[in-house]
Amino acid sequence: MGFVSTLLSLIGFGFGVSVGMLIGYFFYIYPQPRGVKEPKTKQLRDMDTKSFNEFLPEIPLWIKNPDYERIDWLNKILHDMWPYLDKAICNTIRSTTKPIFDQYIGKYGIESVEFETLTLGTLPLIFQGIKVYEIQDKELVIEPVIRWAGNANIVVDLKLFHFKFSAQLIDLQLSLVPRLTLKPLVPTFPCFASINISLMEKPKVDFGFKLLNGDLMAIPGLHHFVLDMVAKQIAIMYHWPQVLELPILEASSGATKRPVGILRVKVVRAMDLLKMDLIGKSDPYVKLKLSGERLPSKRTSIKMCNLNPEWNENFKFVVKDPQTQVLELHVFDWEKVKMHDKLGIQVVPLRLLSPHETTSFTLDLLKSLNLNDAHNRKNRGKLVVELTFDPFKEDKWSMERHSSIQTGEDGDECASTGGMLLVTIESAQDVEGKKHNNPYVEVVLKGEKKKTKVIKKSRDPRWDEEFQFTLDKAPTEDKIHIEVVNKRSGRLFRTKESLGYVDIILSDVVDNGRINETYHLINSKNGTIHVEIKWITT
């Protein structure tokens, strides 16, 4: 009987599924039209209010806003050029990310990181309109509205402890309103030296992400959370006044920006800060950052349980463009466990400063830099800072001989009050490790260490990287340590190997303003390194 019951159950199940599929076909599929009907069109004035409001976001800006111009001709050019732009952009992405991937090889058991597939797909981005501002002094500012719903396919392979993992990014969609500043305008093709990019509003991002062939975005709640976090991080990094600078012309053209001075900042005190903790007072500190720079932010000490803290702490920044750069000041409430609360933000444009004059600012802290934000009406306290911009002497950039030693009224020589040491690591020759050869350079001055990128599998690497050291006085009695280091791959421990070093006495640099020499590396058989060092004063 048990066998007969089981058999009848299977027959009943099969019969029920068949009948259900047949009924579904006749009720839902069969009545559907066989052909494709012509879409119904309706003029905007004939739409009802609800339909019009739903359609309004899809209307191009050149229709809604007379400041934006229609550029269908550019979209046509992009459509025809997209297959070639796809390859060019992907090749640039590969070359740019390769040094970043190489930094992790040999760490945490990572054996290799590389692109298996990298394509932006067949659908080009679309410009929905463009706004062009009046040409200012040696710069051009434009704001395009970009929409992209592409079929990009990006697959990254990671080999970890002999196991291979794949991550895939698909169906990338973007909505951006960037501000592009072409500057400075120069008489050398393409007639501008760099492009500065800032986002004028929070971007909209959507994409699919697969790990080990599983769609992570299908997890309930994760899709919205990830997209929101990505959009927030992009806004934090590139929303105005943050600036991403893309150099166009090489340094040899003389058009790229170079340091022009030092900004000295004294964070004095804050007054009437918000109380963020339920028990006790806030624990404030200040983060400082100069726009247009990718260097880490600097920060003051933490003043525990104090709504009127005094710091009187000094900081220095290297300035490249005092007409456009701004000093960003973020005040936070320190928390031991959770994320630090933001007490307020404010910015100071450097164009407000006069050279060599100390200016005091009492700043009203804001919730955000959006002037239309209603939260900015709330009193968040004040921050007092003192700023001094000391420009470098212009003739220090020339190749003429200059001395940074100044003569006092009594005839005695006294060292310069301060300046900047520019160290350019150009190239090396005949450097060789015991096994692998992935050289990079470490530059150490007064305990401050800087590193170049890693050049894979090369005995004659070329870096062409410049490092800056801001000093309070001329380094007449100091040495700079420059060492070529081999980054071993495939090892978890002892991943560095010295390929030779040189210690350079900086008194000659101070006396002459510049040296450009090739040095034989100590502890290297035939290795040499080409270095240029400049000393410029304020």
Side-chain angles (χ1 to χ4, degrees), residues 416-448:
S416 171
T417 56
M420 177 182 294
L421 194 72
L422 299 177
V423 182
T424 302
I425 306 299
E426 297 189 359
S427 61
Q429 298 287 331
D430 298 325
V431 292
E432 185 176 359
K434 294 180 179 179
K435 292 187 178 180
H436 303 287
N437 211 56
N438 308 314
Y440 66 96
V441 176
E442 292 182 350
V443 182
V444 183
L445 176 62
K446 291 187 173 182
E448 184 177 359

PDB file of all heavy atoms in Angstrom, residues 416-448:
ATOM      1  N   SER A 416      68.467  80.928   6.680  1.00  0.00           N
ATOM      2  CA  SER A 416      67.123  81.335   6.280  1.00  0.00           C
ATOM      3  C   SER A 416      66.116  80.837   7.305  1.00  0.00           C
ATOM      4  O   SER A 416      66.314  79.831   7.970  1.00  0.00           O
ATOM      5  CB  SER A 416      66.805  80.772   4.903  1.00  0.00           C
ATOM      6  OG  SER A 416      65.455  80.968   4.597  1.00  0.00           O
ATOM      7  N   THR A 417      65.025  81.587   7.443  1.00  0.00           N
ATOM      8  CA  THR A 417      64.018  81.211   8.436  1.00  0.00           C
ATOM      9  C   THR A 417      63.283  79.932   8.063  1.00  0.00           C
ATOM     10  O   THR A 417      62.622  79.347   8.890  1.00  0.00           O
ATOM     11  CB  THR A 417      63.010  82.355   8.594  1.00  0.00           C
ATOM     12  OG1 THR A 417      62.449  82.657   7.314  1.00  0.00           O
ATOM     13  CG2 THR A 417      63.696  83.599   9.147  1.00  0.00           C
ATOM     14  N   GLY A 418      63.331  79.507   6.844  1.00  0.00           N
ATOM     15  CA  GLY A 418      62.651  78.288   6.451  1.00  0.00           C
ATOM     16  C   GLY A 418      62.458  78.215   4.957  1.00  0.00           C
ATOM     17  O   GLY A 418      62.783  79.148   4.222  1.00  0.00           O
ATOM     18  N   GLY A 419      61.926  77.098   4.523  1.00  0.00           N
ATOM     19  CA  GLY A 419      61.699  76.910   3.095  1.00  0.00           C
ATOM     20  C   GLY A 419      61.261  75.487   2.808  1.00  0.00           C
ATOM     21  O   GLY A 419      60.799  74.767   3.694  1.00  0.00           O
ATOM     22  N   MET A 420      61.447  75.094   1.565  1.00  0.00           N
ATOM     23  CA  MET A 420      61.030  73.760   1.136  1.00  0.00           C
ATOM     24  C   MET A 420      62.149  73.088   0.360  1.00  0.00           C
ATOM     25  O   MET A 420      62.807  73.708  -0.473  1.00  0.00           O
ATOM     26  CB  MET A 420      59.786  73.845   0.254  1.00  0.00           C
ATOM     27  CG  MET A 420      59.332  72.496  -0.295  1.00  0.00           C
ATOM     28  SD  MET A 420      57.913  72.655  -1.367  1.00  0.00           S
ATOM     29  CE  MET A 420      56.713  73.202  -0.184  1.00  0.00           C
ATOM     30  N   LEU A 421      62.334  71.806   0.665  1.00  0.00           N
ATOM     31  CA  LEU A 421      63.300  70.984  -0.058  1.00  0.00           C
ATOM     32  C   LEU A 421      62.520  70.094  -1.026  1.00  0.00           C
ATOM     33  O   LEU A 421      61.655  69.323  -0.610  1.00  0.00           O
ATOM     34  CB  LEU A 421      64.116  70.131   0.911  1.00  0.00           C
ATOM     35  CG  LEU A 421      65.375  69.472   0.336  1.00  0.00           C
ATOM     36  CD1 LEU A 421      66.454  70.515   0.087  1.00  0.00           C
ATOM     37  CD2 LEU A 421      65.887  68.380   1.252  1.00  0.00           C
ATOM     38  N   LEU A 422      62.810  70.226  -2.304  1.00  0.00           N
ATOM     39  CA  LEU A 422      62.159  69.423  -3.342  1.00  0.00           C
ATOM     40  C   LEU A 422      63.132  68.355  -3.807  1.00  0.00           C
ATOM     41  O   LEU A 422      64.212  68.664  -4.309  1.00  0.00           O
ATOM     42  CB  LEU A 422      61.740  70.295  -4.525  1.00  0.00           C
ATOM     43  CG  LEU A 422      60.745  71.414  -4.215  1.00  0.00           C
ATOM     44  CD1 LEU A 422      60.472  72.235  -5.460  1.00  0.00           C
ATOM     45  CD2 LEU A 422      59.454  70.848  -3.675  1.00  0.00           C
ATOM     46  N   VAL A 423      62.759  67.095  -3.640  1.00  0.00           N
ATOM     47  CA  VAL A 423      63.617  65.967  -3.998  1.00  0.00           C
ATOM     48  C   VAL A 423      62.937  65.192  -5.135  1.00  0.00           C
ATOM     49  O   VAL A 423      61.839  64.659  -4.954  1.00  0.00           O
ATOM     50  CB  VAL A 423      63.860  65.040  -2.791  1.00  0.00           C
ATOM     51  CG1 VAL A 423      64.796  63.901  -3.173  1.00  0.00           C
ATOM     52  CG2 VAL A 423      64.414  65.823  -1.618  1.00  0.00           C
ATOM     53  N   THR A 424      63.593  65.142  -6.292  1.00  0.00           N
ATOM     54  CA  THR A 424      63.067  64.415  -7.438  1.00  0.00           C
ATOM     55  C   THR A 424      63.889  63.157  -7.666  1.00  0.00           C
ATOM     56  O   THR A 424      65.094  63.241  -7.955  1.00  0.00           O
ATOM     57  CB  THR A 424      63.090  65.282  -8.705  1.00  0.00           C
ATOM     58  OG1 THR A 424      62.327  66.470  -8.478  1.00  0.00           O
ATOM     59  CG2 THR A 424      62.478  64.531  -9.882  1.00  0.00           C
ATOM     60  N   ILE A 425      63.279  62.003  -7.507  1.00  0.00           N
ATOM     61  CA  ILE A 425      63.920  60.721  -7.786  1.00  0.00           C
ATOM     62  C   ILE A 425      63.633  60.396  -9.250  1.00  0.00           C
ATOM     63  O   ILE A 425      62.503  60.046  -9.606  1.00  0.00           O
ATOM     64  CB  ILE A 425      63.390  59.610  -6.861  1.00  0.00           C
ATOM     65  CG1 ILE A 425      63.524  60.028  -5.397  1.00  0.00           C
ATOM     66  CG2 ILE A 425      64.128  58.308  -7.124  1.00  0.00           C
ATOM     67  CD1 ILE A 425      64.938  60.283  -4.947  1.00  0.00           C
ATOM     68  N   GLU A 426      64.637  60.519 -10.095  1.00  0.00           N
ATOM     69  CA  GLU A 426      64.410  60.362 -11.523  1.00  0.00           C
ATOM     70  C   GLU A 426      64.544  58.904 -11.973  1.00  0.00           C
ATOM     71  O   GLU A 426      63.603  58.317 -12.492  1.00  0.00           O
ATOM     72  CB  GLU A 426      65.367  61.268 -12.304  1.00  0.00           C
ATOM     73  CG  GLU A 426      65.117  62.754 -12.016  1.00  0.00           C
ATOM     74  CD  GLU A 426      65.891  63.651 -12.942  1.00  0.00           C
ATOM     75  OE1 GLU A 426      66.633  63.133 -13.798  1.00  0.00           O
ATOM     76  OE2 GLU A 426      65.769  64.886 -12.805  1.00  0.00           O
ATOM     77  N   SER A 427      65.716  58.295 -11.791  1.00  0.00           N
ATOM     78  CA  SER A 427      65.901  56.936 -12.310  1.00  0.00           C
ATOM     79  C   SER A 427      67.090  56.290 -11.619  1.00  0.00           C
ATOM     80  O   SER A 427      67.824  56.928 -10.860  1.00  0.00           O
ATOM     81  CB  SER A 427      66.132  56.964 -13.830  1.00  0.00           C
ATOM     82  OG  SER A 427      67.304  57.708 -14.136  1.00  0.00           O
ATOM     83  N   ALA A 428      67.256  54.995 -11.868  1.00  0.00           N
ATOM     84  CA  ALA A 428      68.408  54.238 -11.373  1.00  0.00           C
ATOM     85  C   ALA A 428      68.894  53.317 -12.485  1.00  0.00           C
ATOM     86  O   ALA A 428      68.139  52.998 -13.425  1.00  0.00           O
ATOM     87  CB  ALA A 428      68.048  53.439 -10.119  1.00  0.00           C
ATOM     88  N   GLN A 429      70.137  52.884 -12.364  1.00  0.00           N
ATOM     89  CA  GLN A 429      70.742  52.011 -13.369  1.00  0.00           C
ATOM     90  C   GLN A 429      71.446  50.848 -12.675  1.00  0.00           C
ATOM     91  O   GLN A 429      72.054  51.008 -11.619  1.00  0.00           O
ATOM     92  CB  GLN A 429      71.758  52.782 -14.230  1.00  0.00           C
ATOM     93  CG  GLN A 429      71.157  53.924 -15.031  1.00  0.00           C
ATOM     94  CD  GLN A 429      70.331  53.449 -16.198  1.00  0.00           C
ATOM     95  OE1 GLN A 429      70.586  52.386 -16.767  1.00  0.00           O
ATOM     96  NE2 GLN A 429      69.338  54.235 -16.585  1.00  0.00           N
ATOM     97  N   ASP A 430      71.340  49.659 -13.279  1.00  0.00           N
ATOM     98  CA  ASP A 430      72.092  48.466 -12.843  1.00  0.00           C
ATOM     99  C   ASP A 430      71.839  48.112 -11.385  1.00  0.00           C
ATOM    100  O   ASP A 430      72.763  47.773 -10.639  1.00  0.00           O
ATOM    101  CB  ASP A 430      73.593  48.671 -13.077  1.00  0.00           C
ATOM    102  CG  ASP A 430      73.935  48.852 -14.538  1.00  0.00           C
ATOM    103  OD1 ASP A 430      73.270  48.220 -15.375  1.00  0.00           O
ATOM    104  OD2 ASP A 430      74.845  49.644 -14.843  1.00  0.00           O
ATOM    105  N   VAL A 431      70.583  48.190 -10.939  1.00  0.00           N
ATOM    106  CA  VAL A 431      70.249  47.718  -9.588  1.00  0.00           C
ATOM    107  C   VAL A 431      69.699  46.302  -9.717  1.00  0.00           C
ATOM    108  O   VAL A 431      68.933  45.989 -10.621  1.00  0.00           O
ATOM    109  CB  VAL A 431      69.223  48.647  -8.909  1.00  0.00           C
ATOM    110  CG1 VAL A 431      69.834  49.992  -8.617  1.00  0.00           C
ATOM    111  CG2 VAL A 431      67.979  48.813  -9.764  1.00  0.00           C
ATOM    112  N   GLU A 432      70.119  45.428  -8.805  1.00  0.00           N
ATOM    113  CA  GLU A 432      69.754  44.019  -8.952  1.00  0.00           C
ATOM    114  C   GLU A 432      69.631  43.369  -7.590  1.00  0.00           C
ATOM    115  O   GLU A 432      70.504  43.520  -6.723  1.00  0.00           O
ATOM    116  CB  GLU A 432      70.798  43.281  -9.783  1.00  0.00           C
ATOM    117  CG  GLU A 432      70.424  41.830 -10.077  1.00  0.00           C
ATOM    118  CD  GLU A 432      71.443  41.155 -10.986  1.00  0.00           C
ATOM    119  OE1 GLU A 432      72.404  41.829 -11.391  1.00  0.00           O
ATOM    120  OE2 GLU A 432      71.264  39.969 -11.279  1.00  0.00           O
ATOM    121  N   GLY A 433      68.515  42.657  -7.377  1.00  0.00           N
ATOM    122  CA  GLY A 433      68.312  41.914  -6.151  1.00  0.00           C
ATOM    123  C   GLY A 433      68.763  40.476  -6.284  1.00  0.00           C
ATOM    124  O   GLY A 433      69.170  40.015  -7.359  1.00  0.00           O
ATOM    125  N   LYS A 434      68.692  39.745  -5.189  1.00  0.00           N
ATOM    126  CA  LYS A 434      69.152  38.358  -5.200  1.00  0.00           C
ATOM    127  C   LYS A 434      68.213  37.458  -6.001  1.00  0.00           C
ATOM    128  O   LYS A 434      68.652  36.550  -6.689  1.00  0.00           O
ATOM    129  CB  LYS A 434      69.263  37.844  -3.762  1.00  0.00           C
ATOM    130  CG  LYS A 434      70.348  38.546  -2.958  1.00  0.00           C
ATOM    131  CD  LYS A 434      70.420  37.991  -1.542  1.00  0.00           C
ATOM    132  CE  LYS A 434      71.531  38.672  -0.742  1.00  0.00           C
ATOM    133  NZ  LYS A 434      71.601  38.146   0.649  1.00  0.00           N
ATOM    134  N   LYS A 435      66.909  37.719  -5.909  1.00  0.00           N
ATOM    135  CA  LYS A 435      65.956  36.892  -6.652  1.00  0.00           C
ATOM    136  C   LYS A 435      65.091  37.783  -7.547  1.00  0.00           C
ATOM    137  O   LYS A 435      65.417  38.025  -8.684  1.00  0.00           O
ATOM    138  CB  LYS A 435      65.097  36.081  -5.684  1.00  0.00           C
ATOM    139  CG  LYS A 435      65.897  35.003  -4.944  1.00  0.00           C
ATOM    140  CD  LYS A 435      64.999  34.114  -4.116  1.00  0.00           C
ATOM    141  CE  LYS A 435      65.804  33.011  -3.433  1.00  0.00           C
ATOM    142  NZ  LYS A 435      64.953  32.125  -2.615  1.00  0.00           N
ATOM    143  N   HIS A 436      64.001  38.294  -6.989  1.00  0.00           N
ATOM    144  CA  HIS A 436      63.142  39.162  -7.773  1.00  0.00           C
ATOM    145  C   HIS A 436      63.729  40.569  -7.800  1.00  0.00           C
ATOM    146  O   HIS A 436      64.562  40.935  -6.986  1.00  0.00           O
ATOM    147  CB  HIS A 436      61.727  39.184  -7.188  1.00  0.00           C
ATOM    148  CG  HIS A 436      61.117  37.821  -7.089  1.00  0.00           C
ATOM    149  ND1 HIS A 436      60.680  37.127  -8.186  1.00  0.00           N
ATOM    150  CD2 HIS A 436      60.897  37.025  -6.018  1.00  0.00           C
ATOM    151  CE1 HIS A 436      60.195  35.956  -7.791  1.00  0.00           C
ATOM    152  NE2 HIS A 436      60.322  35.869  -6.484  1.00  0.00           N
ATOM    153  N   ASN A 437      63.238  41.391  -8.732  1.00  0.00           N
ATOM    154  CA  ASN A 437      63.760  42.742  -8.853  1.00  0.00           C
ATOM    155  C   ASN A 437      62.589  43.698  -9.082  1.00  0.00           C
ATOM    156  O   ASN A 437      62.224  43.996 -10.211  1.00  0.00           O
ATOM    157  CB  ASN A 437      64.760  42.837 -10.011  1.00  0.00           C
ATOM    158  CG  ASN A 437      65.830  43.870  -9.726  1.00  0.00           C
ATOM    159  OD1 ASN A 437      66.514  43.802  -8.725  1.00  0.00           O
ATOM    160  ND2 ASN A 437      65.958  44.832 -10.618  1.00  0.00           N
ATOM    161  N   ASN A 438      61.986  44.167  -7.982  1.00  0.00           N
ATOM    162  CA  ASN A 438      60.855  45.091  -8.036  1.00  0.00           C
ATOM    163  C   ASN A 438      61.216  46.326  -7.217  1.00  0.00           C
ATOM    164  O   ASN A 438      60.753  46.510  -6.092  1.00  0.00           O
ATOM    165  CB  ASN A 438      59.588  44.432  -7.475  1.00  0.00           C
ATOM    166  CG  ASN A 438      59.300  43.095  -8.129  1.00  0.00           C
ATOM    167  OD1 ASN A 438      59.366  42.967  -9.343  1.00  0.00           O
ATOM    168  ND2 ASN A 438      59.012  42.084  -7.324  1.00  0.00           N
ATOM    169  N   PRO A 439      62.043  47.218  -7.773  1.00  0.00           N
ATOM    170  CA  PRO A 439      62.624  48.288  -6.954  1.00  0.00           C
ATOM    171  C   PRO A 439      61.690  49.478  -6.735  1.00  0.00           C
ATOM    172  O   PRO A 439      60.871  49.821  -7.583  1.00  0.00           O
ATOM    173  CB  PRO A 439      63.844  48.708  -7.776  1.00  0.00           C
ATOM    174  CG  PRO A 439      63.472  48.406  -9.179  1.00  0.00           C
ATOM    175  CD  PRO A 439      62.615  47.180  -9.130  1.00  0.00           C
ATOM    176  N   TYR A 440      61.855  50.076  -5.564  1.00  0.00           N
ATOM    177  CA  TYR A 440      61.287  51.385  -5.267  1.00  0.00           C
ATOM    178  C   TYR A 440      62.291  52.128  -4.394  1.00  0.00           C
ATOM    179  O   TYR A 440      63.325  51.563  -3.990  1.00  0.00           O
ATOM    180  CB  TYR A 440      59.928  51.274  -4.581  1.00  0.00           C
ATOM    181  CG  TYR A 440      59.969  50.670  -3.190  1.00  0.00           C
ATOM    182  CD1 TYR A 440      60.008  51.477  -2.052  1.00  0.00           C
ATOM    183  CD2 TYR A 440      59.924  49.291  -3.009  1.00  0.00           C
ATOM    184  CE1 TYR A 440      60.021  50.925  -0.781  1.00  0.00           C
ATOM    185  CE2 TYR A 440      59.946  48.734  -1.741  1.00  0.00           C
ATOM    186  CZ  TYR A 440      59.995  49.548  -0.632  1.00  0.00           C
ATOM    187  OH  TYR A 440      60.025  49.007   0.623  1.00  0.00           O
ATOM    188  N   VAL A 441      62.047  53.406  -4.120  1.00  0.00           N
ATOM    189  CA  VAL A 441      63.009  54.232  -3.395  1.00  0.00           C
ATOM    190  C   VAL A 441      62.369  54.773  -2.122  1.00  0.00           C
ATOM    191  O   VAL A 441      61.220  55.229  -2.134  1.00  0.00           O
ATOM    192  CB  VAL A 441      63.503  55.402  -4.282  1.00  0.00           C
ATOM    193  CG1 VAL A 441      64.437  56.313  -3.491  1.00  0.00           C
ATOM    194  CG2 VAL A 441      64.219  54.864  -5.511  1.00  0.00           C
ATOM    195  N   GLU A 442      63.128  54.715  -1.025  1.00  0.00           N
ATOM    196  CA  GLU A 442      62.743  55.347   0.232  1.00  0.00           C
ATOM    197  C   GLU A 442      63.611  56.586   0.448  1.00  0.00           C
ATOM    198  O   GLU A 442      64.830  56.516   0.328  1.00  0.00           O
ATOM    199  CB  GLU A 442      62.910  54.393   1.402  1.00  0.00           C
ATOM    200  CG  GLU A 442      61.929  53.220   1.391  1.00  0.00           C
ATOM    201  CD  GLU A 442      62.096  52.317   2.602  1.00  0.00           C
ATOM    202  OE1 GLU A 442      63.098  52.505   3.334  1.00  0.00           O
ATOM    203  OE2 GLU A 442      61.260  51.423   2.811  1.00  0.00           O
ATOM    204  N   VAL A 443      62.955  57.709   0.748  1.00  0.00           N
ATOM    205  CA  VAL A 443      63.652  58.973   0.997  1.00  0.00           C
ATOM    206  C   VAL A 443      63.373  59.371   2.438  1.00  0.00           C
ATOM    207  O   VAL A 443      62.208  59.506   2.833  1.00  0.00           O
ATOM    208  CB  VAL A 443      63.184  60.071   0.033  1.00  0.00           C
ATOM    209  CG1 VAL A 443      63.964  61.357   0.268  1.00  0.00           C
ATOM    210  CG2 VAL A 443      63.340  59.619  -1.419  1.00  0.00           C
ATOM    211  N   VAL A 444      64.437  59.553   3.233  1.00  0.00           N
ATOM    212  CA  VAL A 444      64.275  59.849   4.653  1.00  0.00           C
ATOM    213  C   VAL A 444      65.043  61.123   4.994  1.00  0.00           C
ATOM    214  O   VAL A 444      66.240  61.251   4.687  1.00  0.00           O
ATOM    215  CB  VAL A 444      64.786  58.692   5.541  1.00  0.00           C
ATOM    216  CG1 VAL A 444      64.536  59.003   7.009  1.00  0.00           C
ATOM    217  CG2 VAL A 444      64.107  57.381   5.145  1.00  0.00           C
ATOM    218  N   LEU A 445      64.331  62.089   5.606  1.00  0.00           N
ATOM    219  CA  LEU A 445      64.950  63.331   6.071  1.00  0.00           C
ATOM    220  C   LEU A 445      64.361  63.685   7.425  1.00  0.00           C
ATOM    221  O   LEU A 445      63.152  63.855   7.570  1.00  0.00           O
ATOM    222  CB  LEU A 445      64.710  64.463   5.074  1.00  0.00           C
ATOM    223  CG  LEU A 445      65.233  65.845   5.484  1.00  0.00           C
ATOM    224  CD1 LEU A 445      66.758  65.802   5.640  1.00  0.00           C
ATOM    225  CD2 LEU A 445      64.839  66.910   4.484  1.00  0.00           C
ATOM    226  N   LYS A 446      65.217  63.747   8.431  1.00  0.00           N
ATOM    227  CA  LYS A 446      64.815  64.096   9.789  1.00  0.00           C
ATOM    228  C   LYS A 446      63.673  63.214  10.291  1.00  0.00           C
ATOM    229  O   LYS A 446      62.727  63.686  10.926  1.00  0.00           O
ATOM    230  CB  LYS A 446      64.414  65.574   9.864  1.00  0.00           C
ATOM    231  CG  LYS A 446      65.579  66.535   9.678  1.00  0.00           C
ATOM    232  CD  LYS A 446      65.146  67.974   9.930  1.00  0.00           C
ATOM    233  CE  LYS A 446      66.345  68.908   9.906  1.00  0.00           C
ATOM    234  NZ  LYS A 446      65.982  70.308  10.200  1.00  0.00           N
ATOM    235  N   GLY A 447      63.744  61.928   9.994  1.00  0.00           N
ATOM    236  CA  GLY A 447      62.746  60.981  10.458  1.00  0.00           C
ATOM    237  C   GLY A 447      61.503  60.898   9.604  1.00  0.00           C
ATOM    238  O   GLY A 447      60.678  60.002   9.795  1.00  0.00           O
ATOM    239  N   GLU A 448      61.336  61.808   8.654  1.00  0.00           N
ATOM    240  CA  GLU A 448      60.172  61.774   7.759  1.00  0.00           C
ATOM    241  C   GLU A 448      60.507  60.926   6.536  1.00  0.00           C
ATOM    242  O   GLU A 448      61.498  61.191   5.849  1.00  0.00           O
ATOM    243  CB  GLU A 448      59.790  63.190   7.326  1.00  0.00           C
ATOM    244  CG  GLU A 448      58.535  63.241   6.481  1.00  0.00           C
ATOM    245  CD  GLU A 448      58.136  64.664   6.119  1.00  0.00           C
ATOM    246  OE1 GLU A 448      58.835  65.608   6.558  1.00  0.00           O
ATOM    247  OE2 GLU A 448      57.142  64.823   5.395  1.00  0.00           O
TER     248      GLU A 448
END
